[in-house]
Amino acid sequence: MLNPLKKDIVRINNLVVKYGENTILNDISTRFYSSEIRVILGTSGCGKTTLLKSIIGLLKPFSGTVYIENTEIKDQDDPETVKILKKIGVLFQNGALLGSMTVGENVALPLQMHTNLPDSIIKEIVQLKLAQVDLPNASELYPGELSGGMKKRAALARALALDPPLLFCDEPSAGLDPVTSAGLDELLLKIRKTLGITIIVVTHELLSIEKIADNITFLSKGALLFDGPLKDALALEKGPIVDFFKRHEPKNKFHLSNTTDFFVENIK
């Protein structure tokens, strides 16, 4: 059971989402808490990304409600919804950086769109955000000049530009090698620690889940099967969650805090 005494930042009540006649999410109720890292996981096609899109207002529910900081998320034409959505950051699966703009210009974009700050202050904030994601010298580079891991970090800097209390990450490790993925996990942990934000991650990468998750929300065929601490899920002896963990257990079980550890271990 999740702790009812903790302050929730996202509250989902009896959420049903349909595509045509197909029910994708069926009666989902859960809460995401302040300063936690919550991982949404489950079998392929179970509704993970649909749940994320429903929370941030990209999909309109068939029934049920979603609240962020006690504001109901309706559609993106609703003024109160628009106001609250400015307070969240989203790291998309492919990064979604604009290739015709430099990294610095990409990170500056939310500040230019949603604030009246002078250019000099925006430039300072951009450098601060790039430093937070360990890309202090990338401002003048273009996305096409970056590695896959650097693109994810640059996109993360843009997602953090407005200092959101809530960050969503859709498959952040997708397409990354194990070392780069491990470094990104460490970065998410550092950001949570230093900024105190809530991070909600959609992923199926078991090593990442074991590294970063405080609580997990496990979906199967659109239903909520488990909602609680990762340690409780790992303690289960049988059932769909156990089967999921077994299927996704990596052949080479290592998870690195940084690339230095990797090379030290491999030259011994």
Side-chain angles (χ1 to χ4, degrees), residues 116-157:
N116 295 314
L117 294 171
D119 290 343
S120 59
I121 299 299
I122 288 178
K123 187 173 181 179
E124 289 183 14
I125 294 173
V126 167
Q127 288 304 124
L128 172 63
K129 295 305 173 183
L130 288 173
Q132 285 179 340
V133 300
D134 301 327
L135 288 178
N137 302 313
S139 180
E140 299 303 317
L141 298 176
Y142 284 86
E145 300 176 277
L146 305 181
S147 67
M150 292 173 70
K151 287 179 182 178
K152 292 289 179 78
R153 288 171 181 261
L156 180 58

Side-chain angles (χ1 to χ4, degrees), residues 79-145:
E80 290 301 312
T81 297
V82 171
K83 183 178 179 180
I84 200 70
L85 291 181
K86 290 179 182 178
K87 299 174 66 176
I88 70 173
V90 181
L91 174 59
F92 296 99
Q93 182 173 337
N94 61 1
L97 295 172
L98 299 176
S100 62
M101 301 172 66
T102 66
V103 169
E105 290 169 340
N106 269 277
V107 177
L109 195 58
L111 295 161
Q112 294 167 340
M113 293 177 63
H114 301 302
T115 76
N116 295 314
L117 294 171
D119 290 343
S120 59
I121 299 299
I122 288 178
K123 187 173 181 179
E124 289 183 14
I125 294 173
V126 167
Q127 288 304 124
L128 172 63
K129 295 305 173 183
L130 288 173
Q132 285 179 340
V133 300
D134 301 327
L135 288 178
N137 302 313
S139 180
E140 299 303 317
L141 298 176
Y142 284 86
E145 300 176 277

